[in-house]
Structure formats: C-alpha cells, structure tokens
Amino acid sequence: MSVKILAIESSCDDTGAAVLVDGKVLSNHIANQQVHEQYGGVVPELASRAHQENIVPVVDIAMKAAGIKREELSAIAFTQSPGLIGSLLVGSCFAKSMAMALNIPLIGVHHMQAHVLANFIEDPKPDFPFLCLTVSGGHTQIVLCESPLQMRVIGETLDDAAGEAFDKSAKLLGLPYPGGPLIDKYAATGNPNRFKFPEPRIPGLNFSFSGLKTAILYFLQEQQQQDPAFIANNLPDICASIQQRIVTILLNKVAKAASETGIRDIAIAGGVSANSGLRNALTVYGQQHRWRTFIPKFEYCTDNAGMIAITAYYKYLAGDFADLAVVPTARAAF
Ligand code: KG4
Ligand code: ZN
C-alpha cells in the first residue's frame, strides 16, 4: 500500500503544507507573512495569529494540488521543534486534530533535521555518510549524516547564525528585514574584493559571526564620517564583500570538516543555502577539493513543508510515530 503523508511546517513566520506519496513530494505550498516587515524582524505573537488564519487554506491548496483526499492519507506530520512556541503550537494542534479525526498516525519532525533531508526530495541524492552545512536564520551547523535519521552536529555557531549575520549586516546598511536576499541581490553586481572584512579565528569546527558584525559597524561608521553617502554610492561592492566573507567563513570550516572526516559528499541546506554566492562558491570549492556537492532547489532551501514531508516519510518507514499527547518545544537537539 502506498504511503501518503500531509506535512505541516509552522516553526517561524511561514505557514507551509506539503503532500508526499511514496517518497515523492507532489505539492509544496507556502504562505509568507508580510506583517513583520515593518517591525524589522519576526514578531512571535503576530506570527501565531497569521498561522491561525493561513493554516486551513494552505493545507487545502496543498491537498488539492496533489489530488489527494483526506481519507486517503496514511499519516499527518508537523514540525515539533525548534521554533517559536506559539507558531509551533498552531501547526501541532492542527496536525493532532486531523490525525485524531482521521484515526491515522502522527509524526513529529525536527526542523533542522528536515532542512538536511531537503537534499533527499529530488535526485541526485548524497551517499551516506555525508556532511551538510545547515545555515538558516537561527542555526549554523555542520552535520555529519550517517543515515536519514542518524545525524550529529560536529560544528556550530557560538553566537549569531549565518542568516543573522546577513540580516544584521543588511540592517546596518538600512535594508529592510529579512535582508539576506537583498544582500544577495545587490552583491550580484558588486566587486567582492573591494573591501576586506576579518575572518574570525575560532578553533575546531565552530563558527562565530559577532566579530564580523562589529567590524562592519565600525567600518561603515568610519566611511560615513568621510562620506555621508558612502553606503548609497557603494552598496553593491559593500554587499558583495560582506557576502564573500560570510561564504568563505562557512566554506573554510566545511573544508576543514571534510578533511578531518575524509567525507567527500557535501550538501548545503537552510534559508542561507538560497544565497547565490554560497551556491556558486560551493561548486568552486567542490571542484578544488574533489567533492560531490548537493544543493536543494530554492523552494526547498528556505522554510517549507516538503522537507517536513520527506523526513516524515523516513520516520513512517521506521515506525517512529508521535503520541497524541506530544507537545512542541522551542529548543531541542536532534
Ligand atoms: O531556513 P529559513 O527560511 O528560516 C529559519 O529556519 O531560520 O532561513 C531564513 C534565513 C534568513 O536569515 C534570511 O535572510 C536568509 O535565510 N536567506 C538568505 C537568502 N535567502 C534567505 N540569506 C542570504 N541570501 C539569500 N538569498
Ligand atoms: Zn528553517
């Protein structure tokens, strides 16, 4: 009998629903929340309210797009952790109610594990073991993956996440939230070698981005004292230089992890893996180091329910179901 899963993602500010049949994602719909833009960041209470408004229509669209009826479903999956607790509660309550009403299993999914498994939605897929650089708004991790459900973090950020480094740099440049995609856009026409920002010396496989943020702040203050229009006159070069530094910090650590573990299948995942500088640089590093590299399609990089569905599929096959009394948690290890 075929396995049909409805997956729901509501960890932060996007409401997602996806339908998977036998390991293939048939539909993947997302409703973004514009309400946060004016506040310069996600407002948790507003996010929960918007999830409540969006969840029924988003699920409806995903089910219709896949051509699947509720009665055909084998299980309902949801993001259990980590995330904003109010947002997670909306998705988990919805998933639990639907699983209870249909009398089918419930599957709780770890959001960061799902980002990694976004690399398994489409071909080509990495071989095990592989390394995944998972870079999002809240996390920066190098994950060693031994099997779909066996992963461990071998390096992570000690302060800001890579997405925060992008967003906070963008804020210093006067760009709206989330600034990561805008830095990417302006960087496309800029010279990445024009300005030099420092690479932190952090031992092992861990990262740090707070020093870079401070260096950018002082650099901009100094330049603006001489030329008040410095940012406006040099935006593409500033963005390209910041992006290049963030990307080299990330990939130099991945190269260290690859050489220490001897692993040559290297994947990236998470919202920041949508960054074109990172995607291009991974390919270049891959050629230099003879890695096989894996980059998910854009729609599976930023938050989406397709990645929750593929993770739930492996959990379904492993018989790893959640109790109806399960509660989401804001923080949790794999
Ligand atoms: O994975 P994600 O969608 O949500 C979290 O789980 O955090 O990641 C969101 C992060 C934000 O910091 C956003 O600025 C960043 O990913 N991001 C980008 C790009 N697209 C999204 N950063 C740089 N370049 C991009 N193209
Ligand atoms: Zn995410």
Side-chain angles (χ1 to χ4, degrees):
M1 214 179 77
S2 71
V3 179
K4 297 178 176 144
I5 297 174
L6 166 68
I8 289 155
E9 151 63 27
S10 71
S11 64
C12 191
D13 59 336
D14 297 322
T15 319
V19 174
L20 168 145
V21 176
D22 294 334
K24 291 219 170 332
V25 174
L26 296 192
S27 66
N28 179 41
H29 186 66
I30 196 112
N32 303 112
Q33 302 180 0
Q34 311 300 337
V35 63
H36 308 285
E37 258 171 41
Q38 58 188 304
Y39 300 101
V42 177
V43 183
E45 178 56 29
L46 296 180
S48 331
R49 287 188 220 169
H51 280 305
Q52 283 180 325
E53 280 169 26
N54 291 340
I55 195 148
V56 172
V58 165
V59 166
D60 219 37
I61 292 168
M63 292 291 284
K64 286 203 175 102
I68 299 287
K69 293 194 181 61
R70 274 182 299 185
E71 298 68 36
E72 295 175 61
L73 289 170
S74 326
I76 312 284
F78 70 100
T79 305
Q80 187 178 340
S81 59
L84 300 171
I85 194 66
S87 294
L88 290 168
L89 275 165
V90 177
S92 64
C93 287
F94 185 93
K96 279 193 216 179
S97 319
M98 205 159 161
M100 200 187 289
L102 295 169
N103 197 22
I104 54 175
L106 180 68
I107 302 174
V109 170
H110 192 288
H111 182 86
M112 297 313 294
Q113 190 167 35
H115 269 306
V116 174
L117 291 179
N119 282 286
F120 285 73
I121 295 176
E122 291 184 337
D123 288 329
K125 294 166 186 149
D127 285 336
F128 294 102
F130 70 93
L131 294 176
C132 185
L133 171 72
T134 317
V135 271
S136 70
H139 293 78
T140 297
Q141 300 176 328
I142 300 177
V143 183
L144 198 166
C145 308
E146 275 143 3
S147 73
L149 301 175
Q150 262 184 309
M151 315 179 171
R152 67 197 155 89
V153 177
I154 59 170
E156 62 191 326
T157 185
L158 303 175
D159 40 58
D160 289 349
E164 278 176 295
F166 271 106
D167 296 340
K168 288 180 179 176
S169 304
K171 200 169 178 182
L172 294 175
L173 296 170
L175 300 173
Y177 179 87
L182 292 169
I183 293 206
D184 193 355
K185 184 179 134 196
Y186 290 114
T189 55
N191 172 4
N193 300 314
R194 171 98 183 277
F195 305 111
K196 289 266 173 284
F197 296 109
E199 177 162 9
R201 291 170 192 273
I202 306 296
L205 299 175
N206 290 333
F207 302 89
S208 168
F209 288 101
S210 61
L212 175 65
K213 183 186 61 192
T214 312
I216 294 168
L217 173 69
Y218 288 154
F219 166 78
L220 291 175
Q221 282 175 346
E222 208 177 290
Q223 297 294 326
Q224 281 174 301
Q225 270 168 10
Q226 292 157 29
D227 171 12
F230 174 75
I231 293 177
N233 290 339
N234 297 282
L235 193 57
D237 289 351
I238 303 170
C239 287
S241 302
I242 293 173
Q243 178 168 295
Q244 164 151 293
R245 177 44 81 215
I246 296 175
V247 166
T248 52
I249 291 173
L250 293 170
L251 290 182
N252 287 346
K253 286 289 175 161
V254 172
K256 187 169 163 59
S259 107
E260 283 180 9
T261 58
I263 294 174
R264 285 168 179 251
D265 272 20
I266 312 288
I268 55 174
V272 178
S273 64
N275 181 266
S276 45
L278 179 59
R279 295 166 88 92
N280 294 338
L282 180 70
T283 308
V284 173
Y285 271 65
Q287 282 157 359
Q288 285 168 352
H289 293 86
R290 296 168 172 243
W291 299 337
R292 291 203 310 153
T293 56
F294 301 87
I295 306 178
K297 221 160 82 176
F298 277 108
E299 68 175 296
Y300 300 127
C301 287
T302 46
D303 288 349
N304 67 90
M307 67 185 196
I308 306 299
I310 192 75
T311 310
Y313 177 63
Y314 288 110
K315 289 194 137 194
Y316 186 96
L317 296 181
D320 186 353
F321 301 118
D323 192 271
L324 279 177
V326 69
V327 283
T329 47
R331 286 171 181 273
F334 285 164

